[in-house]
Amino acid sequence: MQELIIINFEEIYLKGANQKFFSNKLRENLKHKLQALKDLLHFSHVHGGSLFIELKRSIKREEWKKIESILKNTPGISQFYLARISATDMESIIKTAMDMAEEKIHQVKSFRVTAKRLKKNLPYTSLDLARQIGAAIVNRYGTKVDLTHPEWNLHIKVRPGMALLYDRVEEGAGGLPAGTAGRAVALLSGGIDSPVAARMMMNRGLELVALHFHSVPKTSPQSIEKVKKLARILAQSQGKIKLYLIPVLEIQENIARHNDSKLRLVLLRRLMLKIAEQIAQNEKAKAIVTGDSLGQVASQTLENLIAIGNATSMPVLRPLIGMDKKFIIQYARKTGTYDISILPHDDACSLFTPQNPETKAHLAYVLSQCNKIDTAKLIRNAIEASELLNIDPFSSALL
Ligand code: ATP
Ligand code: MG
């Protein structure tokens, strides 16, 4: 029995002349993620909007489960399925269809056959194919045909040179392959929002480098473990991810000593952006991604976003800016970060927070406060003391 994995990528298919760039990147990302199964898989060429992965031997159920979960979580894939291959003559197709029926039909009360020919120069029509196979199944097993709500739908797609038979189409993550839109740094706190923002931008083709600011020993090492777990989930989509752990306690202490206490959060955030900008330059990244959502907390009023955003000339991408918390939580649940995000953690930003933080910062006043601390030195120290982790959940043989 010969099988094939077919991966469809509608959005890439729309990219016309650039299609090859997008499909090559998707193939490269998948090769990395599926490296533990490289003895089983052969990545072949792109055929009319689909990427084919041939199986060199028959696949075990656990192997397909593993592949399925990787494909579902890979940006750039709209749909995928596992198909059996047959020759295109009617007799061979019927034989393969009957083999599949023998395995599946006992578990269902109704079925249908859906046939499609991509090339029309064949001695039978799609309808002939569906009718003959349907009749053969009814004759042998007596199972009822139901064209509208079948419990089992056997699809047959006749392509040039081969027919594909399959009965389950899985939905992928959609979007564009990670890395096709360039690189950005993503500010990753332990909260709900920032992993969602990162995942969304990854799904639009960005390759992300994650940055986390901590105040160890004033914040707990568990908070860092939590961020590592979040980064690992993001790496499962992207393939791998770099995570910078950057200490900001010295910055916070300086701000607490020298600045207007109402502005502590705004000033810390400005320095976070400045550090992010420098790391972005080193990493050849062109933008900064944050999980800001307008009005959600004190640092996210329009005035404060302006006073903070002014710290960098790099574009700050805030995909959640207009989104309700309810929607963000749904997305976090779907992409697997929610359960980790809601674990308790202490946050660098809530240290030294005054009773009444400024909610309407004035840029001119903020800038005058910035001059009271040696920002260049503090930024340099933080970057020098930062730690870099390379997180790659696929590097070792996991299967
Ligand atoms: P989140 O749920 O992502 O923590 P939030 O609603 O709590 O967001 P803030 O705490 O104001 O909002 O943070 C806004 C954004 O600033 C975060 O989404 C994140 O991108 C960035 N950020 C905040 N704190 C940190 C941190 N300690 N390390 C890295 N980025 C951070
Ligand atoms: Mg937060």
Side-chain angles (χ1 to χ4, degrees), residues 246-261:
I246 306 151
V248 289
L249 188 55
E250 189 191 10
I251 293 176
Q252 290 173 292
E253 284 167 348
N254 268 269
I255 292 173
R257 211 172 302 135
H258 301 290
N259 293 118
D260 181 346
S261 63

Side-chain angles (χ1 to χ4, degrees), residues 96-114:
T96 309
M98 294 312 281
D99 287 347
M100 287 176 78
E102 177 61 29
E103 289 163 30
K104 293 281 169 69
I105 207 80
H106 304 290
Q107 302 154 27
V108 299
K109 291 198 181 64
S110 61
F111 80 103
R112 71 163 285 168
V113 178
T114 308

Side-chain angles (χ1 to χ4, degrees), residues 95-168:
K95 187 179 172 318
T96 309
M98 294 312 281
D99 287 347
M100 287 176 78
E102 177 61 29
E103 289 163 30
K104 293 281 169 69
I105 207 80
H106 304 290
Q107 302 154 27
V108 299
K109 291 198 181 64
S110 61
F111 80 103
R112 71 163 285 168
V113 178
T114 308
K116 197 172 167 189
R117 299 169 313 156
L118 298 191
K119 267 238 153 85
K120 307 291 174 197
N121 59 345
L122 289 160
Y124 50 80
T125 64
S126 301
L127 201 60
D128 292 339
L129 202 57
R131 279 198 178 135
Q132 289 219 26
I133 293 169
I137 294 175
V138 172
N139 284 343
R140 187 173 302 172
Y141 302 103
T143 313
K144 196 175 83 193
V145 172
D146 182 344
L147 294 179
T148 43
H149 301 292
E151 284 185 31
W152 186 55
N153 192 345
L154 174 60
H155 293 266
I156 300 166
K157 199 175 269 180
V158 188
R159 289 179 160 264
M162 70 176 149
L164 300 175
L165 292 87
Y166 54 97
D167 55 10
R168 276 190 69 173

Side-chain angles (χ1 to χ4, degrees), residues 189-194 269 300 345 347 349:
S189 72
I192 295 172
D193 303 323
S194 46
R269 281 296 161 74
Q300 297 169 5
H345 73 288
D347 182 15
C349 297

Side-chain angles (χ1 to χ4, degrees), residues 355-385:
Q355 285 277 310
N356 294 309
E358 182 59 83
T359 53
K360 289 199 163 147
H362 289 283
L363 185 56
Y365 181 55
V366 171
L367 292 175
S368 74
Q369 285 289 310
C370 292
N371 294 330
K372 296 188 166 186
I373 49 173
D374 188 348
T375 47
K377 183 170 143 237
L378 290 169
I379 291 170
R380 205 166 47 240
N381 289 352
I383 293 177
E384 270 171 25

Side-chain angles (χ1 to χ4, degrees), residues 186 188-190 210-214 223-224 227 243-247 347:
L188 195 61
S189 72
L211 268 48
H212 176 67
F213 301 97
H214 65 83
S223 301
I224 293 190
V227 172
L243 170 64
Y244 282 86
L245 299 171
I246 306 151
D347 182 15

